[in-house]
Amino acid sequence: MNRFYPHPVVAREGWRIIATLAALTLIAFFCATNSPKLALWLLLATLASAHLFRDRVRNIPMDANALLSPADGRVILVENAHNPYAEQDALKISIRTHFFRAYAIRSPIHGSVQVQPSGKRHILRLQTSQQQAVTLVQNYGDCHAQTGSLVRGERIGFARFGGRVDVYLPPGSVPTVAIGDSVQASSSILAQLPERAAEAA
């Protein structure tokens, strides 16, 4: 495994849950012979958990000026807004991560990051290789990112059972998604950064 995908296909965060359900399933199969439905339900729960905690490799678009989705989910907000973390105008795109989708949070850019914990929120101040500032706010879950360099598609967090991710892009960014669109982490393009970023590359 390399830096682009430093985790197993089933995320470590789900191992304990899956192992517990698998053990209960075996006990139900061998001990609860009069309750086959219970064993079947536990088996289905085990398989469902393995599906929910999957963390597969994704095909990453090569467009250097594209900002990728950091999470699997549905777009719930696309608007011009004020970025309270950078005190500037921004394009804000919010994604609601779904209970039944993969939970991994991934870097939307290639560049650097500064991590600022804030209660249950994790504020990631990103800077692209074209020196564009992007703020990513993970409103729930675990943040694995550390201050330093980032590779596009790198796993930076995990949001069990859903949550919300807000992305603040620099003024002039052009959204390529709309409210209601379904997106995948590292595969879907949320927006194109301003043209001057591409010219500076």
Side-chain angles (χ1 to χ4, degrees):
M1 292 182 288
N2 57 34
R3 188 179 179 191
F4 285 91
Y5 190 72
H7 295 270
V9 174
V10 176
R12 290 185 177 90
E13 290 86 348
W15 287 3
R16 181 175 296 179
I17 294 173
I18 296 168
T20 300
L21 288 171
L24 291 174
T25 300
L26 290 174
I27 292 171
F29 269 119
F30 288 107
C31 300
T33 54
N34 294 327
S35 302
K37 288 185 178 180
L38 174 61
L40 179 59
W41 279 112
L42 285 170
L43 175 60
L44 291 175
T46 303
L47 295 175
S49 296
H51 175 74
L52 291 174
F53 284 96
R54 68 197 185 283
D55 191 7
R56 297 174 296 184
V57 176
R58 295 284 172 80
N59 293 321
I60 301 174
M62 300 301 293
D63 185 349
N65 206 42
L67 185 128
L68 307 183
S69 176
D72 283 20
R74 191 168 298 278
V75 177
I76 60 172
L77 181 70
V78 180
E79 67 175 15
N80 292 319
H82 177 71
N83 181 346
Y85 308 102
E87 292 299 332
Q88 66 178 24
D89 293 335
L91 170 66
K92 181 180 180 181
I93 300 177
S94 297
I95 300 167
R96 175 72 65 184
T97 57
H98 199 277
F99 183 91
F100 295 107
R101 301 288 291 274
Y103 300 145
I105 307 297
R106 302 169 188 248
S107 172
I109 58 104
H110 182 88
S112 61
V113 60
Q114 288 185 332
V115 182
Q116 178 184 336
S118 179
K120 291 185 178 181
R121 292 182 176 179
H122 301 281
I123 302 162
L124 281 67
R125 301 178 185 274
L126 310 173
Q127 189 170 55
T128 72
S129 55
Q130 290 84 31
Q131 305 304 307
Q132 290 281 20
V134 175
T135 303
L136 187 151
V137 182
Q138 183 182 337
N139 290 281
Y140 172 78
D142 302 322
C143 178
H144 304 313
Q146 296 181 346
T147 296
S149 62
L150 276 180
V151 176
R152 182 184 278 193
E154 181 178 346
R155 191 177 189 269
I156 57 175
F158 202 80
R160 294 177 183 84
F161 308 118
R164 192 181 85 246
V165 178
D166 301 318
V167 185
Y168 295 89
L169 291 79
S173 298
V174 179
T176 56
V177 293
I179 294 174
D181 285 354
S182 180
V183 293
Q184 286 191 326
S186 299
S187 296
S188 302
I189 297 175
L190 293 186
Q192 290 287 334
L193 295 172
E195 287 298 325
R196 62 184 179 85
E199 294 169 1

